[in-house]
Amino acid sequence: MSLSIGQVAERTGLSVHALRFYEQEGVFVDPVRRGPGGRRVYSQDDVDWLTVCIILRTSGMPLPALRRYADLVREGAGNEEERLALMREHQERVTGQIGRLTQCLDLIGFKVGVYEDLLDEARPAVEPGRPRPSDGGAAPASTPGTSA
Amino acid sequence: MSLSIGQVAERTGLSVHALRFYEQEGVFVDPVRRGPGGRRVYSQDDVDWLTVCIILRTSGMPLPALRRYADLVREGAGNEEERLALMREHQERVTGQIGRLTQCLDLIGFKVGVYEDLLDEARPAVEPGRPRPSDGGAAPASTPGTSA
DNA sequence: GCTTGACCTAGAGCCGACTCCAGCTCCTAG
DNA sequence: CTAGGAGCTGGAGTCGGCTCTAGGTCAAGC
């Protein structure tokens, strides 16, 4: 089954520009075939490969690394150690990134909490018996920058 | 306590360039004070604020949003809803991002697994009685792009 | 008095990853 | 036969977020 660049763009979500750009950057494992009039013809394999590429890109793999990976695959069997190394390296970067984001999420959640408390403390007339959210939540010493 | 730009750079990890750039971009809540000779003088509050900024930036908040947030804080009390909205929006972006990365990590982990299997299947001389890791692991129909 | 080093400003440059443009070729339908 | 649409190429432009340069001020130390 073969697809035009437009069709591939449609089903991968990449733009036709990006597809040509990727090709030029050596991201494809085998050269994209050409049909009559020099038009690009993509196979299902190409699309599958692109799917992988998209996932790697989405997770922050830079284009040069993607190209490197494509190079290795193009070379064929025998370089699996290097492919593995590349993947592992990326894996670590991604887990690291997730870790970092999760930490950030802590502060963000804290801030959200502070503003929520602030707002539903200010709005409903305070019921006398109801235990107020314990004070100091806005700026505990351990949490920086809570003054805002 | 007051710090020079160099000292702030040192303890935040930002470059002096970045600090001046952030200032120019309106990221600071109050204008950075100036000492003799027009030199910037930072307070602990400035550093605390920067710490928050760094966390927000690290988690992918774009500078314009950061500036917006600073604007709100500068305005003072009364716009907490908007601050909350801003934070919540960011919170969602970050959780979304974590989700996406975690998904990607699936494929990456899968790939790593494939290469590991491939390698320790090829290297140690196969012991006759040992059950080989069941075949087909390299390209199950459900997992795209496993041909590489 | 000269160098060194930290700082200042305004503005240019860079990097990654596209995105868009000009000017062309085809093919198909009206 | 001509207008539209999809595709082609090479190269320029964009955007975000810094990073660096040039040219200058100032204070301290030799």
Side-chain angles (χ1 to χ4, degrees), chain B residues 116-118 120-121 126 130-137:
Chain B
E116 279 172 351
D117 286 2
L118 222 92
D120 59 54
E121 188 173 310
V126 187
R130 182 168 147 269
R132 302 283 287 290
S134 73
D135 218 12

Side-chain angles (χ1 to χ4, degrees), chain A residues 99-142:
Chain A
R100 243 167 290 136
L101 288 180
T102 306
Q103 276 196 343
C104 293
L105 209 48
D106 270 9
L107 173 84
I108 296 163
F110 173 78
K111 286 263 178 194
V112 166
V114 168
Y115 287 126
E116 279 171 351
D117 285 2
L118 221 96
L119 286 172
D120 61 50
E121 188 173 310
R123 249 204 293 267
V126 187
E127 306 148 42
R130 183 169 148 268
R132 302 282 288 289
S134 71
D135 217 16
S142 65

Side-chain angles (χ1 to χ4, degrees), chain B residues 4-147:
Chain B
S4 72
I5 195 170
Q7 291 171 317
V8 173
E10 204 174 334
R11 57 197 78 183
T12 57
L14 295 168
S15 70
V16 296
H17 304 294
L19 285 170
R20 291 196 275 248
F21 176 67
Y22 277 14
E23 180 178 346
Q24 172 177 323
E25 292 297 296
V27 161
F28 284 89
V29 171
D30 16 59
V32 176
R33 284 173 304 148
R34 297 304 179 112
R39 297 185 168 207
R40 288 171 178 82
V41 175
Y42 296 85
S43 67
Q44 184 58 47
D45 277 7
D46 290 330
V47 174
D48 290 350
W49 174 251
L50 278 173
T51 308
V52 175
C53 289
I54 289 167
I55 289 168
L56 294 174
R57 285 286 307 121
T58 300
S59 52
M61 181 181 283
L63 279 189
L66 202 43
R67 168 168 46 208
R68 179 78 191 122
Y69 186 42
D71 288 349
L72 290 172
V73 173
R74 195 176 309 113
E75 272 183 26
N79 53 25
E80 284 77 5
E81 295 89 342
E82 202 172 338
R83 297 191 208 176
L84 176 56
L86 201 151
M87 274 297 155
R88 274 203 179 130
E89 196 182 319
H90 185 57
Q91 190 179 39
E92 273 171 39
R93 268 218 306 263
V94 176
T95 39
Q97 179 65 0
I98 291 176
R100 243 166 292 136
L101 287 179
T102 305
Q103 276 197 341
C104 292
L105 210 47
D106 269 10
L107 173 83
I108 297 163
F110 173 77
K111 285 263 180 194
V112 166
V114 168
Y115 286 126
E116 279 172 351
D117 286 2
L118 222 92
L119 286 172
D120 59 54
E121 188 173 310
R123 249 204 292 270
V126 187
E127 304 148 45
R130 182 168 147 269
R132 302 283 287 290
S134 73
D135 218 12
S142 63
T143 314
T146 50
S147 55

Side-chain angles (χ1 to χ4, degrees), chain A residues 1 10 12 14 16 23 27-28 33 37 40 43 58-59 87 94 97-98 101 105 109 115 120-121 132 135 142 147:
Chain A
M1 184 214 30
E10 204 175 332
T12 58
L14 295 168
V16 296
E23 181 177 345
V27 161
F28 284 90
R33 283 175 304 149
R40 288 171 179 83
S43 66
T58 300
S59 51
M87 272 299 155
V94 176
Q97 178 66 357
I98 290 176
L101 288 180
L105 209 48
Y115 287 126
D120 61 50
E121 188 173 310
R132 302 282 288 289
D135 217 16
S142 65
S147 55

Side-chain angles (χ1 to χ4, degrees), chain A residues 32-53:
Chain A
V32 176
R33 283 175 304 149
R34 299 305 180 108
R39 300 189 164 204
R40 288 171 179 83
V41 176
Y42 296 85
S43 66
Q44 185 58 45
D45 276 6
D46 290 330
V47 174
D48 289 350
W49 174 253
L50 278 173
T51 308
V52 175
C53 289

